[in-house]
Structure formats: structure tokens, C-alpha cells
Amino acid sequence: MNEHVGSGAEPDQTSADSQRESDAQLRGVIDEYMSTFQPEPEDTAGVRERILQLVRDDLYRGPSTNLQTEQGHPFSISTASVRSIVRNAVDSVDGIRARSVDVEPAGDPEGSAATVSLTVAMRAGISFAPTAEAIRRSVSAEVLAELGIPAARIDINAEDVYVD
């Protein structure tokens, strides 16, 4: 369904208008902040545009999950990518299909591990307990291989059964 039907504006125009409005709001916030501490003009050259570009880049990338390498270096990866990694690991287990996936930073320090919660659909006739252990092994191995962090906890909820 086209969300722009009846708006009288083309999708590209609506997107451009939305970006201009966001830019104007951000400029207002930046100007208000800048007026409170009165930096020298040479210190502000390009600051507004750099901040706006960072915000645009973040919006373009979408929601991110913040994690840390085993050496303690923080990094950010799109949440969609993390979910895709987990879904692929779940789907590799015979008779299982991933449904919803949620990955949250965990560990000490925060982000040095991950907590995974997921729902699955199971093929009729599969025993849940041994299959859940196979899912945990697969997800744990994939998260460690792809993200370089361990899965501290993997919660699985079977919410549907299907017949091939």
C-alpha cells in the first residue's frame, strides 16, 4: 500500500520535505546550544553540517545495536543485520523456522555479550527439548563467529507448529 496516496505529494518530495523539516528542527537545537556557550566563530565552522550529517547517516542506517569487541572496543551494527545473523542460524536447524528475533547487549561491560530472545515455528513431530539445544548451539556459534561476542542467554519460545 502506498502511504502517500491522497497526499498530493510524490514520495520523493515528501521525503525531501520531511528531511528539510528535521534539518530545521536540528538547526534550532544546535543554535540554542551554541548560543549558551558562545564559541569562537572559527570553532563552529562546519559543526552544524557535520552534526546534521551524523544524524542523517544514523537515520539512514536504522536502529543499531551497540556492542564491544573482546578487547573492549565499542562498535555499532544495524539491528536488522544482527537479527538476520540469528535468523540464519535458527533456520539452519532442521524442522525449525525463525519468527521474531530480539538481541540485546549484555555482559560486563555492557555489550561484551548478547541476550537473544526468539520465537520459532516447529515442524509437527519434532521434540522440543533436543531441538532447543540444537538451536542454542547454532545461534551461539553464529553470534560468536559473526559478531565476536558470546550469547550469554538464548531464550526460545515455540509459538507455532507447521506440517510440510
Side-chain angles (χ1 to χ4, degrees), residues 2 5 7-8 12-13 18-19 24 45 50-51 53 77 81 87 98 104 112 116 118 121-122 146 153 156 162:
N2 186 346
V5 171
S7 69
D12 289 340
Q13 182 63 40
S18 177
Q19 183 172 341
R50 180 69 181 129
I51 291 170
Q53 187 60 48
I77 182 170
S81 295
R87 275 194 182 90
E104 295 291 329
S112 60
V116 180
L118 53 102
M122 299 178 62
E146 293 294 323
R153 190 176 83 222
I156 305 166
Y162 66 94

Side-chain angles (χ1 to χ4, degrees), residues 1-5:
M1 175 181 257
N2 186 346
E3 64 186 54
H4 302 289
V5 171

Side-chain angles (χ1 to χ4, degrees), residues 22-78:
S22 292
D23 285 359
Q25 290 173 342
L26 287 169
R27 279 191 179 90
V29 170
I30 294 166
D31 289 343
E32 183 179 324
Y33 172 74
M34 298 295 266
S35 69
T36 62
F37 88 101
Q38 302 294 328
E40 296 298 320
E42 63 271 8
D43 294 336
T44 63
V47 170
R48 286 181 183 86
E49 285 309 311
R50 180 69 181 129
I51 291 170
L52 290 170
Q53 187 60 48
L54 289 170
V55 170
R56 284 186 211 116
D57 290 347
D58 192 50
L59 291 173
Y60 177 74
R61 182 177 58 228
S64 296
T65 301
N66 297 313
L67 303 169
Q68 290 190 37
T69 65
E70 59 186 31
Q71 293 84 18
H73 302 291
F75 69 97
S76 182
I77 182 170
S78 78

Side-chain angles (χ1 to χ4, degrees), residues 74-151:
F75 69 97
S76 182
I77 182 170
S78 78
T79 301
S81 295
V82 175
R83 288 178 177 158
S84 179
I85 290 167
V86 173
R87 275 194 182 90
N88 289 339
V90 171
D91 290 346
S92 72
V93 176
D94 183 45
I96 300 296
R97 295 179 186 155
R99 306 242 5 224
S100 66
V101 174
D102 186 38
V103 179
E104 295 291 329
D108 187 24
E110 181 80 10
S112 60
T115 298
V116 180
S117 300
L118 53 102
T119 61
V120 298
M122 299 178 62
R123 186 174 59 227
I126 291 181
S127 177
F128 181 73
T131 303
E133 287 310 310
I135 293 168
R136 283 187 179 94
R137 282 191 303 274
S138 180
V139 169
S140 182
E142 200 65 21
V143 166
L144 187 58
E146 293 294 323
L147 301 176
I149 61 169

